[in-house]
Amino acid sequence: MVLVFADHSESEIRKSSYEALSYGAALAEKLGTTAEALVVGTVKDDLSGLGNYGISKVHQLANENFNQLDTQVYGAAIADAAASLNADVIVFSHNQTGKAVAPRVAARLKAGLVSGAVALPDTSNGFVVKKNVFSGKAFAHVSIKSTVKVISLNPNSFPVVKKEGQAVVEQLTINVNAAKVKVESVNKVKGEVPLTEAEVVVSAGRGLKGPENWKIVEDLAHALHAATACSRPVADAGWRPHHEHVGQTGIQIAPNLYIAIGISGAIQHLAGVNRSKTIVVINKDPESPFFKAADYGIVGDAFEVVPKLTEEIKKIKG
Ligand SMILES: Cc1cc2nc3c(=O)[nH]c(=O)nc-3n(C[C@H](O)[C@H](O)[C@H](O)COP(=O)(O)OP(=O)(O)OC[C@H]3O[C@@H](n4cnc5c(N)ncnc54)[C@H](O)[C@@H]3O)c2cc1C
């Protein structure tokens, strides 16, 4: 059985979890088995609806110890649940939670782990999983040899596949030791669209000259229902908050569309964005290295190009 960890935020199943559920369902079909989901904590969504993503059964661990993410508690609970359910493959999204919890689960189950998978495993000769390496500059094909296998799926690398279905929902009781640390409070950033899950990201760099000029970036992001991001010097200078900083030392993202405005395209910046499906670069310097990584480029002054682009997008979107 393939067990998918369905992660949630503010009581709603995350978009990246729907990708993991669809991936788990496709993998189960390939292996000739069923896909089931594990939900830790309480959610608003009707869990039987996960059947629409190919899930036959949802196991819920609704226990007060699980209301806040504690990676040690989650790791122990998910590993125990997976063992008691006889899961052969456990799938996570490679988001913040998955990055922290999947290795703990794998260690507890003595399972091989591939983190950051980008495709379904090749099962023609063993169990070989494709993943990104070197900040997305190359792929590795990793063979998992253990009986139980753990995979975390890179966000935006597998489509959400909807089908008709209803899942059976069952409560699961797992006793775990109390957490060794207590999360006192969580201050969530209230953005319009969370950066790591955004399909479209509008990002800007030092070419914008100062924080007072970000309105043109925000207007374009708003027109596209996109998240905003920035280069590191912009965050370091305090023009934009650090949680918007993308790159090698910032957040790594893989949206469907990444629009880079006034960013030179240094290798450390590209390391965080080069898995984007389509990259559009707006830069006044035709020699800017970012154009080499771009699918589309506009050589021009951001202060002229961006407002025009926003106007045209607004017209198209009505
Ligand atoms: C260890 C290390 C880690 C790093 N990690 C990161 C990271 O995670 N993320 C990151 O972003 N950087 C990182 N950096 C910094 C990185 O090397 C670059 O210095 C940085 O990305 C440059 O930011 P920028 O492109 O905004 O600025 P600049 O390099 O100053 O480029 C500004 C660009 O704007 C263009 N421009 C200027 N005016 C206009 C205009 N009016 N219209 C259009 N275009 C205009 C210019 O042609 C230029 O290409 C790291 C560096 C090191 C050493």
Side-chain angles (χ1 to χ4, degrees):
M1 181 263 283
V2 175
L3 184 67
V4 184
F5 171 61
D7 184 21
H8 52 91
S9 167
E10 288 169 7
S11 302
E12 284 179 17
I13 303 285
R14 288 179 191 272
K15 181 196 156 237
S16 53
S17 292
Y18 287 110
E19 294 168 358
L21 291 162
S22 304
Y23 180 91
L27 175 58
E29 205 174 308
K30 203 168 180 184
L31 298 175
T33 180
T34 54
E36 303 185 6
L38 179 66
V39 174
V40 178
T42 44
V43 289
K44 281 191 287 202
D45 301 283
D46 170 19
L47 292 179
S48 64
L50 297 189
N52 289 323
Y53 303 90
I55 298 299
S56 58
K57 203 183 264 183
V58 180
H59 307 275
Q60 185 175 22
L61 282 173
N63 171 317
E64 62 174 32
N65 283 331
F66 302 135
N67 283 346
Q68 271 189 338
L69 170 68
D70 178 301
T71 52
Q72 289 188 352
V73 173
Y74 269 45
I78 297 168
D80 280 5
S84 69
L85 296 167
N86 282 324
D88 302 299
V89 186
I90 304 133
V91 176
F92 291 83
S93 169
H94 195 57
N95 57 17
Q96 292 301 86
T97 310
K99 280 180 196 172
V101 178
R104 290 178 185 277
V105 171
R108 281 176 176 273
L109 296 175
K110 299 198 175 0
L113 163 75
V114 171
S115 39
V118 294
L120 282 174
D122 177 356
T123 50
S124 57
N125 184 15
F127 194 96
V128 179
V129 191
K130 184 178 175 186
K131 63 171 280 184
N132 280 125
V133 285
F134 302 121
S135 303
K137 282 198 165 303
F139 294 114
H141 297 265
V142 184
S143 173
I144 308 185
K145 305 277 191 196
S146 53
T147 317
V148 179
K149 300 164 177 71
V150 179
I151 300 174
S152 64
L153 173 72
N154 252 348
N156 282 332
S157 17
F158 197 83
V160 175
V161 183
K162 256 194 133 175
K163 22 182 129 167
E164 286 290 296
Q166 260 223 322
V168 177
V169 182
E170 282 186 354
Q171 295 302 319
L172 201 62
T173 310
I174 298 275
N175 293 318
V176 290
N177 292 334
K180 293 195 186 74
V181 291
K182 183 164 178 273
V183 182
E184 292 285 350
S185 66
V186 176
N187 297 324
K188 289 215 169 173
V189 177
K190 297 264 181 236
E192 276 190 18
V193 186
L195 186 52
T196 45
E197 296 193 3
E199 306 243 344
V200 183
V201 174
V202 179
S203 184
R206 227 160 17 187
L208 265 273
K209 317 278 187 254
E212 66 282 4
N213 295 326
W214 241 261
K215 184 153 186 331
I216 58 169
V217 179
E218 285 167 344
D219 285 349
L220 177 58
H222 195 71
L224 288 166
H225 194 59
T228 47
C230 67
S231 66
R232 175 170 156 172
V234 162
D236 285 349
W239 296 2
R240 297 298 289 178
H242 267 290
H243 62 79
E244 284 197 0
H245 154 202
V246 287
Q248 183 187 313
T249 46
I251 297 177
Q252 294 177 11
I253 55 172
N256 288 334
L257 174 62
Y258 182 73
I259 303 181
I261 306 164
I263 303 177
S264 56
I267 185 130
Q268 297 89 355
H269 184 86
L270 291 178
V273 303
N274 60 4
R275 286 189 295 107
S276 309
K277 293 217 171 71
T278 303
I279 297 179
V280 176
V281 169
I282 302 169
N283 198 301
K284 69 173 187 186
D285 174 10
E287 300 300 321
S288 162
F290 219 149
F291 283 121
K292 291 206 180 84
D295 298 285
Y296 301 93
I298 302 174
V299 178
D301 186 334
F303 298 100
E304 285 173 26
V305 174
V306 176
K308 281 187 191 154
L309 190 58
T310 307
E311 273 319 300
E312 289 306 315
I313 287 164
K314 278 188 188 160
K315 273 188 217 159
I316 294 167
K317 295 218 165 192

